[in-house]
Amino acid sequence: PLPVLDALVVGFCETAVCLGATVALELGTPYAHSTRYPAPDHHRLLTFTETHSHAPAHVLSHPDPGILSSTRPVILVDDEMTTGKTSLALIEAIQLAWPRERYVVGALLDWRSPDAVENFRITGERIGASIEVVSLLRGDSSSHVAPEPTPLEDRLVPRSAPLLEVVLLPDVRRATPWSANIESTASRDASIVAEALEGRHIAAVLGVEECMLLPVLVAERMGVTAQSTTLSPVVVSSDAGYPIRSAVSFESPFGLCPSWAYNVPRGQEVAIITDGGDPELNRRMAREVSRHTGERVCLVLTADAARDWASRKLGE
């Protein structure tokens, strides 16, 4: 790990919830993330909008109501930036209530245009703060003719009757670094889930929307790939070289809008780990994935998801 920094890391839902958490763990900093599903026992600190999202409303919430009260730098973590408007919206909201001198935006991909880059400089001058951007890859984005979509019936036709196995682990919590001992807690919980999946031929572990850190840690222990569902629709095509080859569609277990899982391996067992949502919608999601793979899906329900399932006495 790097030397501990006196900063606060903030991840954007949904993809960067896990990415931001790993950055916070590596830097040894406190962590917060935006969410579409704020926990009832968390304090709602502010709201902002992701204008290009299919579910644009974000809430920044945290168990500690004073997490933003210091003047330490804020490190915002996202998977990619096209315009940077979401980052700037959050920066301005924080600066209005809890002013500070420095913000850093870290992204895997930075596709901002020169005008968008200039907008960061102008915004920083206007609010009286430094806004730095770091990324692993910098480039330009442009519009092209989309590949011919694979017909929906070709990518969603059931291969067999769904096979579903349910594992309830109510004592395993969402792995999010709210506290100093999160590394040991997350490691323990990941070991519990991995042990519960022993003896199965799992090829991939899927997280559900914002529940991503725990599935990643479980997949790491099992030596398999980690994926997640998403609220973002993406074109699916069989064109040579195109990366998104298949999709499974279902209603989000949280009932917000349609949800998707891409490139889930066919002909192999997968595990889905979720910590919330409606029990019946979780079951439907797992069954749709099973229809796609043609194999058994192990639905691992942790925390509130397990308790809700048990309280409704749902069978498999």
Side-chain angles (χ1 to χ4, degrees):
L2 298 173
V4 175
L5 297 181
D6 183 20
L8 170 67
V9 172
V10 177
F12 287 101
C13 69
E14 57 194 346
T15 305
V17 167
C18 178
L19 184 61
T22 58
V23 171
L25 286 170
E26 186 69 19
L27 297 179
T29 68
Y31 180 61
H33 68 79
S34 68
T35 179
R36 297 183 176 100
Y37 319 111
D41 58 341
H42 285 193
H43 300 273
R44 296 192 180 207
L45 305 177
L46 52 83
T47 60
F48 62 100
T49 300
E50 183 181 5
T51 54
H52 63 279
S53 173
H54 296 273
H58 285 240
V59 177
L60 189 63
S61 65
H62 199 275
D64 178 7
I67 190 69
L68 286 167
S69 60
S70 75
T71 59
R72 61 189 168 195
V74 169
I75 302 171
L76 307 178
V77 179
D78 208 350
D79 54 341
E80 61 91 21
M81 287 195 299
T82 305
T83 65
K85 289 182 178 179
T86 303
S87 296
L88 292 180
L90 179 54
I91 287 172
E92 292 200 58
I94 294 174
Q95 190 70 2
L96 184 63
W98 302 278
R100 64 202 67 226
E101 295 181 354
R102 187 184 183 197
Y103 296 86
V104 178
V105 181
L108 298 179
L109 309 174
D110 181 1
W111 304 120
R112 291 174 302 156
S113 67
D115 287 345
V117 172
E118 177 66 7
N119 192 31
F120 270 63
R121 185 192 66 78
I122 293 172
T123 300
E125 289 185 353
R126 176 167 52 80
I127 67 174
S130 165
I131 305 176
E132 305 165 49
V133 176
V134 295
S135 64
L136 296 184
L137 184 63
R138 178 82 173 91
D140 299 317
S141 62
S142 58
S143 299
H144 299 278
V145 176
E148 189 67 27
T150 300
L152 189 63
E153 59 271 16
D154 289 349
R155 49 184 157 130
L156 297 179
V157 165
R159 289 192 160 200
S160 66
L163 303 170
L164 176 60
E165 178 184 1
V166 178
V167 176
L168 303 182
L169 298 173
D171 294 330
V172 174
R173 299 169 297 282
R174 173 180 290 190
T176 306
W178 305 124
S179 59
N181 65 346
I182 183 60
E183 194 156 11
S184 60
T185 302
S187 177
R188 181 207 67 190
D189 288 350
S191 296
I192 292 172
V193 177
E195 184 177 342
L197 293 174
E198 278 186 5
R200 299 167 179 82
H201 302 289
I202 302 295
V205 177
L206 274 67
V208 177
E209 298 179 31
E210 296 174 20
C211 177
M212 296 176 65
L213 179 57
L214 180 59
V216 166
L217 295 174
V218 171
E220 183 179 45
R221 280 159 176 74
M222 297 179 66
V224 300
T225 59
Q227 300 174 229
S228 72
T229 69
T230 177
L231 301 180
S232 300
V234 177
V235 172
V236 174
S237 177
S238 56
D239 284 4
Y242 188 76
I244 308 301
R245 315 296 289 181
S246 66
V248 186
S249 178
F250 42 85
E251 187 175 355
S252 164
F254 298 91
L256 192 61
C257 61
S259 191
W260 305 81
Y262 299 104
N263 291 353
V264 179
R266 282 192 167 108
Q268 300 184 72
E269 295 183 20
V270 300
I272 302 175
I273 301 176
T274 183
D275 59 5
D278 180 83
E280 181 57 34
L281 294 179
N282 272 315
R283 190 217 306 256
R284 292 179 192 173
M285 170 184 64
R287 287 184 177 276
E288 287 301 321
V289 173
S290 177
R291 288 189 175 98
H292 168 83
T293 63
E295 294 292 341
R296 177 176 59 179
V297 165
C298 185
L299 178 62
V300 180
L301 298 127
T302 67
D304 292 339
R307 286 185 282 272
D308 289 346
W309 184 287
S311 68
R312 295 199 189 184
K313 297 181 172 59
L314 290 175
E316 298 178 15

